[in-house]
Amino acid sequence: MSHKRIPKRKAAIAAGSVVALGAAAILLPNANASQDGSSDDAAAAPKTLKAGDASDLASQLSGLLGKAFGGSYYDADSRQLVVNVVPGDDNNVIVQAKAAGAKVREVENSWSELQDGASTLKSEATIAGTSWSIDPRTNKLLVTADSTVTGAKWDRLESTVKELGSDMATIKKSSGTFKPFVSGGDAIFAGGSRCSLGFNVTAGDGSPAFLTAGHCTLGGNEWSDTQGGQPIATVDQSTFPGNGDFALVKYDDPATAAPSEVNTGNQTVPITEAAEATVGQQVFRMGSTTGLNDGQVLGLDATVNYPEGTVTGLIQTDVCAEPGDSGGSLFTQDGLAIGLTSGGSGDCTAGGETFFQPVTTALEAVGATLGAGGAAGGGAGAGDDAGAGAGDDAGAGDDAGAGAGAGAGEEAGAGQEAGAGEEAGAGAGEQAGGDEAGAGAGAGAGQDAGQGVEDNSGLTESR
């Protein structure tokens, strides 16, 4: 099967235009400018920023403020970056933060103190079914225990949180169970697991590749884009558990076209670069099981204690996900690659907690690049008529429409003529992209499946 005909078109996203995307919708801002052009006499006032620029400013202020930095978050209503500052005896740090355009909030806990608290949790309460992340909005550690943490385990966790103090950490229970969002059996990609492709990238040696979740690769090194089909890609590097949940998978054919885009159905979002997540930022997730969903970033530097082991350095969100969505792309309406779906609890009916591997960390670790200048991005699997695609076992109807070589399969992606048919039950037809990756790249279901697109001009918001 050739993978050379993947289109390189970039579908423009018109500001303010609306398309139906099932349960998840996105409303693009009316302006792309990062600042509101305020006059000189208002220079000290917080700047109006889009989320991507707020993330850049947060990174700069983190270094500028040093030990006084207490984290930051994006206020979507005011479109301002709120920076937590521990003033101490030096009021100059507040002046510096305001001069940079941030809205300053004085807090008790510095970022380094919160990280020390997280280290205490790691040493005293690493229990399967628990997680913790730094929540800048409360200036505390958010500790969560799933339904399996009971009895002595709960007592141990609760005791550790109390030791940290109510001004440092809070604890809550989750009704679900923390697990990697991987699915077995019905759409085999490698070793019986089904996941989603995250973003196409260029490997350090210049070859085309893609990123996905590291736990997806535990079943095998060779990836197929059809159930029982011939391998099209091979795992090059993988991390899970430990310092992340990511993998670099290289396409076997060095001529494979791997465009830098995420296909959400008939709507293609160009991916320009990788960016750090900001708490409060609106993000969108694409996955082979549930298609497109949106939500907000809730916490950073998250630690999750899965049954398989502890994973650190993740992003916590309220975006729903289900088994098979693992590895799928987390991105912004502006085309910034943010994360790769790792795991969590709940589903897209009841909701729950979800965790994502930061793309920036994964790229640095594997030595790959992503962006408009290279073979990168989230649209790996979309074909000429790029639509979506889950594979056979995802419920594709006879008219599902992914032609031979369709790229957006449940796991792998990168086919030739992906388009999702108008009556697609859940995705693409028999040749639709791979069992694991596809939906992260070109996913989406057919028009009658609730993921179809009525208008190619924009994305709309469900919140």
Side-chain angles (χ1 to χ4, degrees), residues 78-277:
S78 64
R79 297 181 65 199
Q80 295 173 343
L81 178 71
V82 180
V83 176
N84 296 331
V85 175
V86 181
D89 297 327
D90 184 9
N91 190 57
N92 187 51
V93 294
I94 296 179
V95 175
Q96 289 177 310
K98 288 183 177 179
K103 181 178 180 179
V104 174
R105 186 177 71 151
E106 295 186 25
V107 296
E108 293 185 14
N109 302 314
S110 69
W111 189 262
S112 60
E113 288 173 333
L114 291 168
Q115 289 180 316
D116 288 342
S119 296
T120 298
L121 287 166
K122 180 180 179 181
S123 63
E124 299 183 14
T126 296
I127 302 166
T130 63
S131 72
W132 48 84
S133 63
I134 298 176
D135 179 7
R137 286 175 292 194
T138 62
N139 191 229
K140 297 179 182 180
L141 288 161
L142 174 60
V143 183
T144 306
D146 72 13
S147 60
T148 67
V149 181
T150 58
K153 293 180 180 179
W154 169 259
D155 292 341
R156 176 180 161 196
L157 180 65
E158 187 177 40
S159 175
T160 304
V161 171
K162 286 182 178 179
E163 287 179 13
L164 291 173
S166 60
D167 61 340
M168 174 68 71
T170 59
I171 187 171
K172 72 171 187 175
K173 289 280 287 185
S174 171
S175 59
T177 302
F178 290 151
K179 58 184 180 297
F181 284 130
V182 64
S183 177
D186 59 349
I188 297 172
F189 172 74
S193 64
R194 173 172 64 86
C195 292
S196 301
L197 184 148
F199 298 97
N200 281 324
V201 298
T202 301
D205 62 1
S207 61
F210 62 84
L211 294 177
T212 189
H215 71 261
C216 291
T217 69
L218 297 180
N221 287 327
E222 293 186 330
W223 294 56
S224 172
D225 64 353
T226 57
Q227 184 175 355
Q230 292 298 311
I232 65 162
T234 303
V235 176
D236 182 73
Q237 302 178 52
S238 183
T239 296
F240 177 85
N243 298 324
D245 185 3
F246 57 88
L248 177 70
V249 184
K250 291 184 178 179
Y251 291 106
D252 295 335
D253 182 354
T256 298
S260 183
E261 57 194 30
V262 173
N263 194 323
T264 63
N266 290 337
Q267 172 72 31
T268 303
V269 181
I271 298 298
T272 58
E273 61 181 308
E276 300 289 346

Side-chain angles (χ1 to χ4, degrees), residues 250-438:
K250 291 184 178 179
Y251 291 106
D252 295 335
D253 182 354
T256 298
S260 183
E261 57 194 30
V262 173
N263 194 323
T264 63
N266 290 337
Q267 172 72 31
T268 303
V269 181
I271 298 298
T272 58
E273 61 181 308
E276 300 289 346
T278 301
V279 170
Q281 179 179 32
Q282 186 187 26
V283 286
F284 305 89
R285 178 196 56 73
M286 203 66 206
S288 65
T289 299
T290 59
L292 182 69
N293 287 275
D294 70 303
Q296 284 193 355
V297 175
L298 300 181
L300 303 176
D301 200 18
T303 294
V304 186
N305 296 299
Y306 293 125
E308 296 85 352
T310 299
V311 180
T312 61
L314 302 182
I315 301 164
Q316 183 170 355
T317 82
D318 62 1
V319 186
C320 74
E322 296 182 6
D325 288 328
S326 281
S329 47
L330 186 74
F331 60 100
T332 72
Q333 58 198 8
D334 300 322
L336 300 178
I338 301 295
L340 307 167
T341 308
S342 175
S345 67
D347 54 37
C348 287
T349 299
E353 297 81 17
T354 47
F355 302 93
F356 295 82
Q357 165 66 45
V359 171
T360 52
T361 305
L363 288 172
E364 182 178 4
V366 302
T369 57
L370 179 153
D384 291 345
D385 294 318
D392 293 342
D393 292 326
D398 293 337
D399 296 323
E410 290 187 11
E411 284 266 5
Q416 294 181 353
E417 306 198 11
E422 292 183 355
E423 298 179 21
E430 294 183 359
Q431 303 280 338
D435 298 335
E436 288 257 13

